[in-house]
Amino acid sequence: MAANRDDQHTEVEEEEKEFEFHADVLEGILSHVPLVDLVSASRVSKSWGDAMSSSLRHRNPPRPWLILHAHAAAAHAYDPRSGVWIKISQPLMPYAAGGLRSSHSSFVYILSSSRFSFSSDPLNLEWHHAEPPLVWRQDPIVARVGDSVVVAGGGCDFGDEPLAVEIYDLKTRAWRFCDSMPGNIRDSPVSSWLSIAVAAEKLVVADKASGQMHSFDPETSSWYGPFDLRIGEAKSVVSYNIGCSNNILIVVAFYQIENVERVKIWRAVGDDFECEQIGEMPLEYVARLKSDSSGYCSSINVRVGGNVVYVYSDMWDVEEVVACELVVGGGGCRWWSVRNAVARKKTAEMWVYTCAEVGIDELQRANNVRFEYEVSSRS
């Protein structure tokens, strides 16, 4: 009997070792499978689900998607994990009629005289609808900060206060007025001249030309600042853009130094926004952001999600997006670029850019959504 028990124990050990071997192989295979296909793979069996989860944690984890929204019932996403463009089609998109805008990360909204609709989940599947703000605005700053949606500036110079600030409370579903935007940014109250980010439960607003920043705390309804960004060679900076990476403020500065265009990324820390340089974009990638018609880098914008920064141009003839992965632990940057063939189709559509951390959980909740692969190339 003892011999039989020993034989059975040996067989179990061998089966466990064989399973571990196959699980390791399966993890390696799944690490090369695009994220959208892993949803169905995870449902094959428990062992497949475990292998998928382990593969995403240890081998090839998800990275933030760059998503382009058009004024139609579809969006187009670039997944850097697999290096492919994906067409996202879903029924009854509220922005199919147009008017969609975005100010930062995954937040998108539609603002008109009759309605205010917004979404902040990664794939913008859930939409909130509310009455419009009391002050009519043409081009305001709009951002979600915690359970508040802040709408600031963009008012008309005649009649209403152009720098008025209102907050929509997601809990009470009501609007309230706050202190107006600081008067020293009166010359640039529209969103096109300002870059914004949400960090540490505060809205941060930066003037793209000067880099001067203010912060707004919805809890106290108060503005703070101005703060001057302390970065190297500041006199050579042509424009500033900001974003938030894992709750840390990121500054992307575009320089003109001795007729050479450069792009550097900085980390702003502390209450006075002291800046530490993270890395500089290689010149070969800077060249890919240049417009063929002007020969210069112009209309540069950024979207930041997780530890990835996407730098792109609004110029119609720029066919590349440059991406930077911020290495955990302060180890600098990893750069690459992707051909933006989706947005550069010669159409009259306006494209809205967002950046979102999309994982298996988000894809599993995407009922009635169709994902289709598109052609893309990574450089």
Side-chain angles (χ1 to χ4, degrees):
M1 294 292 292
N4 289 338
R5 284 196 298 269
D6 291 341
D7 290 342
Q8 291 174 355
H9 182 69
T10 301
E11 290 176 0
V12 170
E13 286 183 338
E14 290 177 352
E15 288 177 359
E16 289 178 348
K17 289 180 180 179
E18 183 178 359
F19 173 76
E20 290 176 0
F21 170 76
H22 288 303
D24 186 63
V25 173
L26 183 58
E27 285 182 24
I29 294 172
L30 293 178
S31 69
H32 298 284
V33 176
L35 198 63
V36 294
D37 292 327
L38 288 179
V39 175
S40 56
S42 67
R43 296 168 179 160
V44 172
S45 66
K46 183 179 183 301
S47 60
W48 276 60
D50 292 342
M52 180 210 67
S53 298
S54 179
S55 177
L56 291 176
R57 283 196 305 270
H58 304 296
R59 292 177 180 263
N60 191 4
R63 288 187 284 175
W65 289 13
L66 177 69
I67 305 178
L68 280 65
H69 307 257
H71 295 163
H76 305 266
Y78 168 67
D79 175 11
R81 180 182 176 275
S82 53
V84 297
W85 281 96
I86 303 165
K87 183 179 180 181
I88 305 173
S89 303
Q90 56 177 302
L92 303 177
M93 279 189 174
Y95 58 87
L100 186 76
R101 295 193 178 188
S102 174
S103 52
H104 67 101
S105 63
S106 62
F107 186 84
V108 292
Y109 65 94
I110 302 168
L111 179 60
S112 70
S113 59
S114 59
R115 65 169 178 165
F116 177 50
S117 301
F118 57 92
S119 173
S120 59
D121 63 281
L123 292 173
N124 302 122
L125 302 176
E126 180 182 355
W127 284 81
H128 303 266
H129 305 282
E131 293 295 318
L134 299 178
V135 174
W136 165 241
R137 307 160 190 272
Q138 293 182 318
D139 189 18
I141 292 168
V142 184
R144 177 169 178 174
V145 186
D147 289 324
S148 301
V149 177
V150 181
V151 181
C156 301
D157 289 326
F158 54 89
D160 294 322
E161 166 59 48
L163 300 181
V165 177
E166 295 176 73
I167 290 180
Y168 180 76
D169 191 310
L170 288 169
K171 294 180 179 178
T172 64
R173 299 184 179 181
W175 290 95
R176 74 175 190 271
F177 277 100
C178 303
D179 292 344
S180 295
M181 297 177 72
N184 54 345
I185 56 174
R186 182 174 294 273
D187 292 336
S188 55
V190 294
S191 63
S192 57
W193 297 103
L194 300 172
S195 182
I196 74 170
V198 176
E201 296 299 307
K202 292 183 177 63
L203 169 64
V204 183
V205 180
D207 184 293
K208 288 185 177 181
S210 68
Q212 190 176 80
M213 299 198 305
H214 295 76
S215 65
F216 177 75
D217 187 346
E219 288 295 319
T220 62
S221 300
S222 301
W223 288 90
Y224 302 91
F227 306 98
D228 292 319
L229 287 171
R230 303 176 182 178
I231 67 174
E233 300 176 294
K235 292 182 179 180
S236 300
V237 177
V238 177
S239 66
Y240 297 84
N241 278 277
I242 61 174
C244 181
S245 172
N246 299 320
N247 218 28
I248 296 175
L249 190 68
I250 299 297
V251 180
V252 179
F254 174 57
Y255 293 76
Q256 186 83 32
I257 302 176
E258 296 181 354
N259 295 322
V260 177
E261 295 172 314
R262 298 180 179 272
V263 178
K264 298 182 181 181
I265 296 183
W266 302 76
R267 179 189 299 109
V269 296
D271 294 335
D272 58 353
F273 298 106
E274 187 74 29
C275 291
E276 304 169 353
Q277 184 173 329
I278 301 174
E280 179 174 354
M281 183 183 295
L283 293 180
E284 64 178 288
Y285 290 117
V286 177
R288 298 179 189 186
L289 294 172
K290 292 184 179 181
S291 167
D292 292 335
S293 56
S294 68
Y296 296 99
C297 294
S298 55
S299 300
I300 298 297
N301 285 292
V302 304
R303 287 291 181 265
V304 183
N307 63 337
V308 175
V309 180
Y310 290 102
V311 185
Y312 64 94
S313 171
D314 286 329
M315 297 295 291
W316 66 268
D317 59 347
V318 178
E319 296 187 354
E320 298 272 340
V321 173
V322 177
C324 170
E325 183 175 20
L326 308 179
V327 179
V328 177
C333 306
R334 283 197 289 264
W335 298 91
W336 74 92
S337 71
V338 59
R339 183 170 296 279
N340 194 355
V342 175
R344 302 314 167 194
K345 295 175 181 178
K346 303 302 187 289
T347 69
E349 290 182 303
M350 297 294 293
W351 296 87
V352 173
Y353 290 72
T354 61
C355 180
E357 296 186 70
V358 178
I360 288 294
D361 291 341
E362 287 74 24
L363 293 173
Q364 289 176 334
R365 290 194 293 268
N367 298 320
N368 301 320
V369 178
R370 187 171 70 254
F371 298 94
E372 303 171 82
Y373 292 116
E374 300 179 305
V375 177
S376 176
S377 62
R378 174 169 166 171
S379 303

